[in-house]
Amino acid sequence: MMILEQGYNAQIPMLQPCHDDVSTIPDVRFRNLLGPHGWALLPKAIRKRFGKRLKGGDSVAYQGVVTKMQMNRAGWVLAQLARLVGAPLPYDRTSINRPAVVVVTEDVVTNGQFWVRQYGRAKGFPQTVHSSKRFAGETGLEEYIGYGIGMALRVEAVAHALLFKSDHFFLQIAGRRFRLPRFLSPGALVIGHHDLGEGRFAFTLSLKNRVFGEMIAQDAVFHDAKE
């Protein structure tokens, strides 16, 4: 996924962590998924962000701005339909150049993480996306959006970036789990964390379908929260 530097130099105010006394401990969960070689490929800044674990349900927040928001017609329809199950996909083109906030909270119950993403819009309340990352399943990492819907993720380290790639989607109903066949899945989802240096990083999302092409593409740039 190509990252364009245009628009990434905007002055973005830093947001303090949610608690003044946020405490962390070393976190080896992502390092174990990547292996020693993959982990070593990542820039030091990315290793730092994904190598610290918040204690006791603490949260850390990052503030930034949306720099790209594109949808083709099929992507727009899919994003609107997804609003019926919590709006896990960005659905408003007016979010470009609007504020974005990401809050990560340690989930002490499942040994995972809660992620809340907020994107400003031209009108109305910001879009808020909730998900839960759990270190479980065939690939070792899964993301749940609620309503029994989730996807298994594979992590990959490349130059200056950590990528999360969808492996398959699934439904959990009445305690049973059903893996969706590929023809029922929305497409291949790739989420990237790209280090930009100077305490900045880009969050990118791309959803591509073999029939409809790239349906949704979103980029946002954030600053590290102050320690």
Side-chain angles (χ1 to χ4, degrees):
M1 188 184 314
M2 295 183 64
I3 304 298
L4 300 180
E5 287 292 337
Q6 184 178 1
Y8 282 3
N9 294 317
Q11 294 297 317
I12 305 168
M14 293 186 180
L15 187 67
Q16 295 284 354
C18 294
H19 302 295
D20 293 334
D21 59 347
V22 167
S23 54
T24 62
I25 57 178
D27 191 346
V28 298
R29 294 174 295 185
F30 289 101
R31 183 172 62 186
N32 289 341
L33 288 173
L34 289 168
H37 177 69
W39 184 253
L41 286 176
L42 295 173
K44 182 179 179 180
I46 294 182
R47 296 199 304 267
K48 182 178 180 181
R49 295 181 194 114
F50 287 88
K52 61 183 180 182
R53 184 169 179 173
L54 300 170
K55 290 183 179 179
D58 278 344
S59 300
V60 63
Y62 302 94
Q63 186 168 352
V65 63
V66 176
T67 58
K68 176 182 177 180
M69 181 63 238
Q70 296 178 350
M71 293 183 290
N72 63 18
R73 187 170 299 178
W76 185 88
V77 171
L78 176 64
Q80 305 312 311
L81 290 174
R83 296 174 71 175
L84 299 174
V85 290
L89 296 171
Y91 60 76
D92 194 332
R93 294 186 181 95
T94 69
S95 65
I96 189 168
N97 296 324
R98 306 281 175 180
V101 178
V102 172
V103 179
V104 182
T105 303
E106 187 67 20
D107 180 2
V108 295
V109 175
T110 67
N111 194 36
Q113 298 174 332
F114 293 119
W115 286 63
V116 179
R117 305 171 184 90
Q118 181 176 289
Y119 306 117
R121 305 164 58 204
K123 295 181 180 180
F125 290 107
Q127 179 187 358
T128 302
V129 180
H130 303 83
S131 67
S132 172
K133 281 187 170 63
R134 301 179 186 177
F135 297 86
E138 298 175 26
T139 63
L141 183 64
E142 297 177 341
E143 185 153 3
Y144 294 81
I145 64 169
Y147 300 89
I149 302 171
M151 64 177 171
L153 294 169
R154 294 192 181 276
V155 292
E156 178 182 336
V158 297
H160 305 295
L162 177 62
L163 303 181
F164 300 85
K165 298 182 176 182
S166 61
D167 183 82
H168 63 270
F169 295 82
F170 59 86
L171 292 174
Q172 288 186 327
I173 303 174
R176 300 185 63 185
R177 177 170 170 146
F178 303 91
R179 179 168 175 164
L180 291 182
R182 288 193 178 275
F183 73 89
L184 288 180
S185 71
L189 181 67
V190 179
I191 297 170
H193 180 105
H194 305 254
D195 189 58
L196 301 175
E198 300 180 348
R200 300 184 308 149
F201 62 91
F203 171 87
T204 64
L205 180 150
S206 174
L207 178 62
K208 294 181 179 180
N209 185 281
R210 288 180 293 179
V211 176
F212 301 110
E214 186 170 54
M215 296 192 295
I216 300 174
Q218 182 194 56
D219 294 352
V221 176
F222 297 89
H223 272 300
D224 281 325
K226 287 186 177 181
E227 297 288 343

